[in-house]
Amino acid sequence: MKKLDWYILRKFLSTFVFTMLTFTVIAVVIDTSEKADDFVKSGLSSWEIVTHYFVGFVPFIMAMIFPLFGFIACIYFSSKMAGQSEFVAILASGVRYPRMLRPYMIGAVVLSLVYWLGSQYWVPKANEIRTNFQATYIDRNSSYNGDPYRSNNFYLRVNANTYVGLKYYDTARKIASSFFLSKVKNDKIYDNLRAETMKWDTAKKDWLLSGVVEHTNEGLIESARLIPTMHINLNVQPEELRRDDYLKDKLTSPQLKKFIRMEEVRGTEGLSTYKVERYHRDASPFSVIILTMIGAVIATRKVRGGSGLNLAIGLVMAAVFVIMDKFSVTFATKGNFSPMLAAWTPNIIFSIVAGILYWRAPK
């Protein structure tokens, strides 16, 4: 690391921090104005709102546009240096163009590692604080509640040959009605069990069934029996029978991977959203490096329009990146697009763009 490296790196990181704090303050002000009525209705003090909501909201908003912070910061300070002909002097002194870009890449790698660690572990913990407040004090006041029965019906596969279903599950009392269990062998149901109610037994840590009717079918022999009550171990905990719209945001990456594997074994559908989130947490930190490269190649060139033109170009490219990312995620969650490709497609395309810009840059 030479003086030139420290000079550029210090400008890069300081501009990044300033840009991030500025945008975060603006986002907090806007969010506060939008949710002012909900904050008042919650009955919480100002300090409680800060600790129960904004402590989680600030890391969330930072993580959401973290790559764009680096991109904008890179273009901003590099354009000012280019306007003062600093890069012309650096290249004229004999410094090769790839060597001049080295501090940019070092800064991008450092920021990428911080972002990767944050998205894997820290941000999900912050999202848990934010989403719990959102679900408790904001969503309940919303005029749109969606399908009132969607969260009360569950159908899942417990193991390789056992399927269960239940309706009208009460998450507070941990009671369900209209329970059924079917065991399958050779594509035929040989054991079917139905119960009027199912309740979680906190003492035995299993489920208590009441009003049970069990039908068994072994070839030509069919039998049925009535059982007043019985205990059954479904390998399903009460907290798993709770649909959470914010679950993917609250799980750390190890927890998210474990959840996806478990739900795949159970035959759960609609896991594309969780898979996209899993791959997105690895792809987004890499986008910091790509966008920094693009920003450096664009902004280190001295143009007649000055820094304003470079900033305009940067904002347009940032908007294209965000739109492309949203489109790919939508195609994965609503269509048949691969979740991994959905997370990495913007990076792949913009890597090609970065390569072309670097190849055409005057050196």
Side-chain angles (χ1 to χ4, degrees), residues 287-338:
S287 66
V288 176
I289 300 175
I290 298 173
L291 292 177
T292 298
M293 169 65 80
I294 294 176
V297 172
I298 292 176
T300 52
R301 179 190 303 180
K302 186 174 182 179
V303 294
R304 184 171 298 177
S307 60
L309 179 60
N310 287 335
L311 282 174
I313 296 173
L315 291 175
V316 170
M317 296 193 68
V320 172
F321 181 85
V322 172
I323 293 172
M324 187 178 300
D325 182 61
K326 297 301 181 184
F327 266 99
S328 60
V329 169
T330 302
F331 288 146
T333 55
K334 304 298 183 181
N336 296 323
F337 196 42
S338 168

Side-chain angles (χ1 to χ4, degrees), residues 203-355:
K204 295 186 176 182
K205 302 298 181 182
D206 61 8
W207 296 97
L208 175 64
L209 304 182
S210 302
V212 181
V213 178
E214 184 178 18
H215 293 268
T216 58
N217 186 1
E218 295 291 342
L220 299 177
I221 303 175
E222 183 176 353
S223 62
R225 60 173 180 159
L226 299 177
I227 308 173
T229 60
M230 67 177 294
H231 288 267
I232 186 171
N233 185 6
L234 296 177
N235 194 28
V236 177
Q237 300 298 314
E239 56 268 18
E240 298 178 41
L241 297 176
R242 187 174 185 175
R243 302 191 191 277
D244 189 347
D245 293 333
Y246 303 108
L247 183 61
K248 67 179 180 61
D249 301 320
K250 297 192 292 187
L251 296 178
T252 62
S253 290
Q255 294 172 336
L256 183 60
K257 294 176 183 178
K258 182 180 178 181
F259 173 81
I260 293 173
R261 288 195 300 268
M262 183 181 298
E263 294 302 311
E264 286 178 336
V265 171
R266 292 175 175 173
T268 303
E269 298 180 353
L271 294 177
S272 296
T273 303
Y274 299 95
K275 292 180 180 180
V276 170
E277 176 67 20
R278 171 192 169 185
Y279 295 122
H280 205 270
R281 293 181 183 182
D282 294 327
S284 293
F286 188 73
S287 66
V288 176
I289 300 175
I290 298 173
L291 292 177
T292 298
M293 169 65 80
I294 294 176
V297 172
I298 292 176
T300 52
R301 179 190 303 180
K302 186 174 182 179
V303 294
R304 184 171 298 177
S307 60
L309 179 60
N310 287 335
L311 282 174
I313 296 173
L315 291 175
V316 170
M317 296 193 68
V320 172
F321 181 85
V322 172
I323 293 172
M324 187 178 300
D325 182 61
K326 297 301 181 184
F327 266 99
S328 60
V329 169
T330 302
F331 288 146
T333 55
K334 304 298 183 181
N336 296 323
F337 196 42
S338 168
M340 178 179 289
L341 280 178
W344 283 94
T345 293
N347 285 346
I348 294 172
I349 295 176
F350 271 73
S351 294
I352 298 173
V353 173

Side-chain angles (χ1 to χ4, degrees), residues 5-21:
D5 299 316
W6 286 113
Y7 177 71
I8 295 178
L9 185 60
R10 184 170 59 252
K11 281 182 171 292
F12 182 20
L13 296 180
S14 61
T15 307
F16 171 81
V17 173
F18 173 78
T19 304
M20 183 173 62
L21 292 178

Side-chain angles (χ1 to χ4, degrees), residues 44-58:
L44 301 177
S45 64
S46 299
W47 177 248
E48 288 175 325
I49 292 174
V50 170
T51 56
H52 289 74
Y53 178 70
F54 283 109
V55 168
F57 175 78
V58 170

Side-chain angles (χ1 to χ4, degrees), residues 10-28 58 61-80 111 311 314-315 318:
R10 184 170 59 252
K11 281 182 171 292
F12 182 20
L13 296 180
S14 61
T15 307
F16 171 81
V17 173
F18 173 78
T19 304
M20 183 173 62
L21 292 178
T22 302
F23 275 85
T24 302
V25 169
I26 294 173
V28 168
V58 170
I61 199 65
M62 285 182 175
M64 187 170 64
I65 48 179
F66 191 99
L68 301 184
F69 287 148
F71 185 50
I72 295 173
C74 179
I75 288 182
Y76 180 74
F77 89 87
S78 298
S79 296
K80 295 190 68 175
L111 294 177
L311 282 174
L315 291 175

